[in-house]
């Protein structure tokens, strides 16, 4: 009985802390908490069995970080026969830039969090989707194992992204896209490898992320409560991370509480598709508690505002939900202030997982960024000119007849 109480308490703590720290998934709608537990469990199982999200796969590859951690990525290549209607909806008569678009996901998520954007761009542009260390299909962080474990840092993630680029996109122009922690990863890459940004990056998108001052975020809680959480959270997370098996059992036992809390920190609109909500919930469920614990301290230290200077002269997008409780829109506006030529977009009725909640708003802005970043290849210009000339000639012949 004592053990039962202990792991249940650990589960509640793990669920609450995981949500507050990550703000990175969604779950069963709050109103469903009034339904019987068995009904909710059956509903989750049904959504798991039928949910269409997260099943897109590309050509797999693996990169090795400088500490030996194995990083998993997938590549979607351009398909010459991709449907012209989909291409035209996103890019008009223009062809997308001949670039590789690299997507970096957020804390406690994985590469599948870009599902809708991947589906829209699939076959139209070359893209790379990768899992951050300890997340998704990437291996556990080598430097974070054992008694001499080094803490995870955002700088480390920037070096990881460089390893992925070296393996998956060693040459050619790049567009970098990052959500939340993924955006911070992009900033860290720029700070350490400014020559890479100068020589190869032709566009950048920051989605629901921050350049620093995350210690000032209230997560929608009273200031006194936030201060109390900040005092105890590092120690509690270390304790939870050292009892991973116990906490994982507790997380499963408190799934209903977990789902309701996470929804608050992930979505804003009331009519989120339950399948999307469950899809996001599964992503955070799959992130081990020791990974949650290892990454959390990095956010308090994150300060990469100066690194944004590397992107000043590039086409850029800074986008966030207007009700993001994790990385508030004001942080995206601050990025926009540092990148005066960036397109600043605050999506109405959207939370932290804006790319899942309002996928078309994000996809359309990314398509615009690709057009701005790459202009139009010469062959496409020639094709447009030839089409215009043919049309004009046909009109002239018709007039003559």
């Amino acid at each position: 009985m004592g053990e039962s109480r202990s792991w249940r308490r650990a589960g509640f703590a793990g669920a609450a802390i995981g949500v507050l720290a990550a703000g990175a998934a969604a779950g069963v709608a709050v109103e469903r908490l009034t339904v019987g537990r068995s009904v909710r469990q059956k509903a989750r199982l049904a959504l798991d069995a039928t949910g269409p999200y997260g099943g897109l796969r590309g050509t797999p590859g693996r990169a090795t970080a400088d500490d030996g951690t194995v990083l998993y990525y997938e590549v979607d290549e351009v398909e010459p026969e991709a449907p012209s209607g989909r291409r035209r909806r996103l890019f008009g008569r223009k062809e997308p830039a001949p670039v590789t678009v690299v997507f970096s996901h957020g804390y406690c998520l994985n590469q599948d969090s870009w599902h809708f954007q991947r589906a829209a761009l699939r076959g139209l542009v070359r893209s790379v989707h990768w899992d951050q260390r300890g997340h998704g299909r990437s291996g556990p962080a080598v430097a974070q194992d054992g008694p001499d474990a080094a803490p995870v840092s955002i700088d480390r993630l920037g070096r990881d992204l460089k390893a992925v680029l070296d393996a998956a996109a060693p040459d050619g122009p790049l567009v970098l896209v990052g959500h939340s922690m993924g955006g911070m990863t992009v900033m860290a890459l720029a700070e350490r490898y400014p020559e890479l940004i100068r020589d190869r990056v032709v566009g950048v998108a920051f989605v629901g992320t921050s350049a620093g001052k995350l210690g000032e975020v209230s997560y929608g809680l009273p200031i006194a409560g936030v201060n109390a959480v900040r005092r105890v959270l590092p120690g509690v997370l270390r304790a939870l991370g050292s009892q991973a098996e116990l906490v994982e059992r507790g997380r499963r036992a408190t799934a209903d509480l977990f789902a309701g809390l996470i929804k608050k920190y992930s979505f804003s609109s009331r009519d989120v598709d339950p399948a999307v909500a469950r899809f996001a919930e599964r992503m955070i469920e799959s992130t081990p508690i020791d990974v949650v614990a290892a990454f959390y301290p990095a956010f308090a230290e994150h300060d990469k505002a100066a690194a944004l200077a590397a992107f000043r002269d590039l086409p850029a997008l800074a986008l966030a939900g207007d009700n993001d409780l994790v990385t508030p829109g004001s942080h995206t506006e601050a990025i926009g202030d540092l990148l005066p030529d960036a397109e600043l977009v605050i999506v109405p009725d959207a939370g932290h997982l804006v790319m899942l909640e309002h996928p078309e708003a994000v996809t359309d802005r990314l398509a615009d960024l690709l057009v701005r970043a790459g202009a139009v290849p010469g062959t496409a210009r020639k094709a447009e000119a030839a089409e215009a000339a043919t049309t004009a000639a046909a009109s002239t012949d018709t007039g003559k007849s």
Side-chain angles (χ1 to χ4, degrees):
M1 179 68 77
E3 182 185 281
S4 174
R5 285 195 299 269
S6 295
W7 63 254
R8 188 172 293 273
R9 284 197 299 270
F12 274 90
I17 290 170
V19 170
L20 191 61
V28 182
V30 172
E31 59 268 21
R32 291 174 64 194
L33 297 180
T34 63
V35 181
R37 172 175 290 185
S38 63
V39 174
R40 294 195 300 273
Q41 289 175 337
K42 289 178 181 178
R44 282 195 287 270
L45 289 173
L47 289 171
D48 289 346
T50 61
Y53 307 116
L56 299 177
R57 299 271 66 90
T59 302
R62 286 171 174 79
T64 303
D66 57 19
D67 68 345
T69 299
V70 177
L71 304 168
Y72 178 83
Y73 65 84
E74 293 179 358
V75 178
D76 290 343
E77 299 287 357
V78 173
E79 299 173 4
E81 303 304 320
S84 59
R86 186 157 56 93
R87 186 186 303 276
R88 182 157 295 188
R89 193 194 83 75
L90 287 172
F91 303 109
R93 290 184 176 274
K94 297 180 178 181
E95 293 289 330
V99 302
T100 297
V101 187
V102 183
F103 290 85
S104 299
H105 68 79
Y107 181 37
C108 294
L109 297 171
N110 60 52
Q111 63 176 269
D112 292 340
S113 61
W114 296 106
H115 174 88
F116 291 105
Q117 292 69 44
R118 186 173 188 172
L121 296 174
R122 192 173 175 84
L124 304 182
V125 294
R126 186 176 193 269
S127 62
V128 174
H129 298 261
W130 69 292
D131 293 329
Q132 302 259 19
R133 58 175 52 216
H135 294 69
R137 293 173 174 82
S138 283
V142 171
Q144 281 74 56
D145 285 344
D148 299 323
V152 178
S153 67
I154 301 299
D155 291 336
R156 155 65 64 192
L157 303 184
R159 300 202 300 276
D160 286 355
L161 176 53
K162 178 60 161 58
V164 171
L165 294 177
D166 288 344
D171 50 41
L174 303 167
V175 171
L176 305 176
V177 182
H179 168 249
S180 194
M181 183 177 76
M184 302 173 203
T185 300
V186 170
M187 296 175 203
L189 176 79
E191 183 176 69
R192 186 171 181 87
Y193 305 101
E195 71 285 352
L196 172 68
I197 308 302
R198 181 185 64 245
D199 296 341
R200 295 187 57 200
V201 176
V202 297
V204 64
F206 296 108
V207 179
T209 189
S210 172
K213 299 184 178 180
L214 287 168
E216 299 176 4
V217 177
S218 70
Y219 303 103
L221 299 174
I223 295 299
V226 172
N227 290 339
V229 168
R230 287 185 182 131
R231 283 195 300 271
V232 304
L233 192 55
V236 172
L237 276 174
R238 282 195 299 271
L240 291 174
S242 67
Q243 302 179 59
E245 183 177 351
L246 189 67
V247 174
E248 295 302 337
R249 291 163 60 192
R251 286 169 78 179
R252 291 191 294 271
T254 57
D256 290 338
L257 173 65
F258 183 72
L261 286 173
I262 293 176
K263 183 178 187 299
K264 174 181 174 63
Y265 289 99
S266 301
F267 296 135
S268 175
S269 47
R270 292 179 174 272
D271 58 350
V272 175
D273 181 350
V276 170
R278 177 57 188 159
F279 163 52
E281 187 183 345
R282 287 202 316 272
M283 280 191 282
I284 197 171
E285 285 176 347
S286 69
T287 306
I289 191 64
D290 54 339
V291 173
V292 176
F295 274 71
Y296 178 72
F299 300 112
E301 301 171 0
H302 170 62
D303 182 0
K304 291 289 183 282
L308 290 171
F311 301 109
R312 279 188 66 90
D313 297 326
L314 294 176
L317 169 67
L319 181 147
D322 69 343
N323 194 31
D324 188 333
L325 299 178
V326 180
T327 50
S330 59
H331 287 233
T332 293
E333 291 170 349
I335 292 172
D337 289 342
L338 294 170
L339 300 175
D341 292 331
E343 180 184 15
L344 175 63
V345 179
I346 304 299
V347 180
D349 195 25
H352 190 56
L353 295 188
V354 59
M355 68 282 193
L356 291 176
E357 187 172 14
H358 295 288
E360 287 195 0
V362 177
T363 301
D364 287 347
R365 298 285 72 74
L366 286 177
D368 289 347
L369 174 66
L370 287 176
V371 172
R372 288 190 290 130
V376 184
T379 55
R381 289 195 185 97
K382 291 177 183 177
E384 286 185 30
E387 182 179 350
T390 301
T391 302
S395 298
T396 301
D397 289 342
T398 301
K400 289 179 180 178
S401 62

